[in-house]
Amino acid sequence: MNKWWLCVIVFAALAPAVSGPLQAQDKNVEIVRVRGLDTMAVRVEKLADLYMAEHANCRIVVSGGRGHGGIEELLAKNTEVAMGAYSTGPEDREIATKKGIALAEQLIGWDGLVIVVHPSNGVSELTLDQVKGIFTGALGNWNKVGGPEGVIEVVVRDSARTGYAAYFKDFALKKAPEAPGAGKKRLISAILKEVSTHPRAIGYAPVRTVFAPPFAGTVKAAAIKKDADSPSVMPSEQTVADRSYPLIVPLLLYYDRNTAGEHTKRFVEFCAMKGL
């Protein structure tokens, strides 16, 4: 046989499957796939390592992706656990019901949404009412919120189905429409790049994304006040953890009660106990 073809055959035999359900070589090992939010994936993977160290008959595979992607994979029955921020909407629950999926939702921690401006921007704090006014277009000039003369350039997420975007619309904007002409970006990274290069721009992003490489120092985080008489609170992992920061987003895990294995349920409970 030609050596080249022999190599191809050997490689194909050894290469791992890249799609479909994972198969454990040992039938006594339960495979738990966890998919979804990038900002949760690293932390959930650390918890997975801790859990597997105590349970040799469980293999947990964590992978990040789009914010809503985990729920979509769960509804397609391509994962055992989905990571998401905020909460699933009625559309997802309707799909789940039609497919015979009993969605279980478990809070495992919190994240914060940081209002970011260009580093040169003189505005250092905003009230929740000002945040709403800016992102709905009611306040269209920086001089309305203590800044210099100049039109505010609003930058937001393109998809309302992502947890962070849905939370921002529901909680920060009180379900009001976003500012006409707001720049819409598909990715959080694109929002941060836009704000870092445009002195009049404003956007939002998760705490751990803003203060971690490669974006740390490229944008300025605004302190947030619940109202004009409240103290301003800077976003940080600490102020998110103690929930003193006003814009906090619940981090959630989902699974199907009807099909979840023993370790799927126990791992979700383990994550809730340890917290993110």
Side-chain angles (χ1 to χ4, degrees):
M1 181 181 290
N2 184 289
K3 291 182 179 180
W4 186 87
W5 279 106
L6 180 60
C7 290
V8 171
I9 293 170
V10 171
F11 177 80
L14 296 177
V18 296
S19 62
L22 290 173
Q23 299 295 327
Q25 291 181 350
D26 184 344
K27 292 182 180 180
N28 294 320
V29 175
E30 181 180 337
I31 300 293
V32 180
R33 295 166 296 176
V34 184
R35 296 181 179 177
L37 201 61
D38 272 336
T39 53
M40 292 177 67
V42 173
R43 289 170 283 165
V44 171
E45 190 167 26
K46 290 179 180 177
L47 293 177
D49 290 339
L50 292 175
Y51 185 87
M52 287 187 291
E54 299 175 1
H55 301 86
N57 61 338
C58 177
R59 182 186 171 200
I60 303 171
V61 182
V62 181
S63 56
R66 295 182 298 112
H68 195 71
I71 296 296
E72 291 174 351
E73 291 294 316
L74 182 61
L75 295 177
K77 302 185 179 181
N78 290 330
T79 191
E80 284 68 48
V81 180
M83 300 177 285
Y86 199 28
S87 185
T88 55
E91 292 179 11
D92 295 321
R93 296 196 174 275
E94 184 177 345
I95 294 172
T97 299
K98 289 180 179 178
K99 291 190 173 186
I101 296 172
L103 278 180
E105 178 182 284
Q106 177 64 59
L107 174 70
I108 64 168
W110 300 90
D111 202 351
L113 269 186
V114 183
I115 305 301
V116 293
V117 298
H118 190 271
S120 67
N121 195 314
V123 174
S124 297
E125 62 179 31
L126 294 166
T127 66
L128 287 176
D129 281 345
Q130 288 174 324
V131 170
K132 179 185 176 184
I134 288 171
F135 282 89
T136 59
L139 299 174
N141 196 297
W142 281 110
N143 62 17
K144 300 290 186 182
V145 292
E149 170 70 28
V151 175
I152 300 176
E153 300 171 10
V154 175
V155 190
V156 296
R157 285 299 297 273
D158 188 20
S159 174
R161 293 195 76 194
T162 64
Y164 290 104
Y167 168 85
F168 191 75
K169 279 192 170 185
D170 288 354
F171 183 77
L173 305 190
K174 307 298 183 186
K175 300 185 183 294
E178 292 164 339
K184 295 192 175 182
K185 304 294 182 181
R186 190 172 66 87
L187 301 173
I188 286 290
S189 59
I191 291 179
L192 292 170
K193 288 178 182 177
E194 183 83 3
V195 174
S196 70
T197 55
H198 290 74
R200 295 181 180 179
I202 188 170
Y204 60 82
V207 165
R208 288 177 175 86
T209 305
V210 172
F211 298 117
F215 298 107
T218 66
V219 294
K220 176 181 173 181
I224 302 299
K225 304 173 67 171
K226 290 182 180 179
D227 53 51
D229 299 322
S230 298
S232 60
V233 181
M234 280 295 293
S236 69
E237 291 194 29
Q238 179 58 45
T239 58
V240 167
D242 64 23
R243 300 176 67 179
S244 59
Y245 182 66
L247 292 172
I248 55 172
V249 186
L251 299 178
L252 306 156
L253 293 181
Y254 296 90
Y255 64 91
D256 179 5
R257 287 193 187 93
N258 292 336
T259 61
E262 176 189 356
H263 284 296
T264 295
K265 296 175 182 177
R266 289 175 65 180
F267 176 63
V268 170
E269 291 170 359
F270 178 81
C271 290
M273 179 182 68
K274 293 292 186 180
L276 291 187

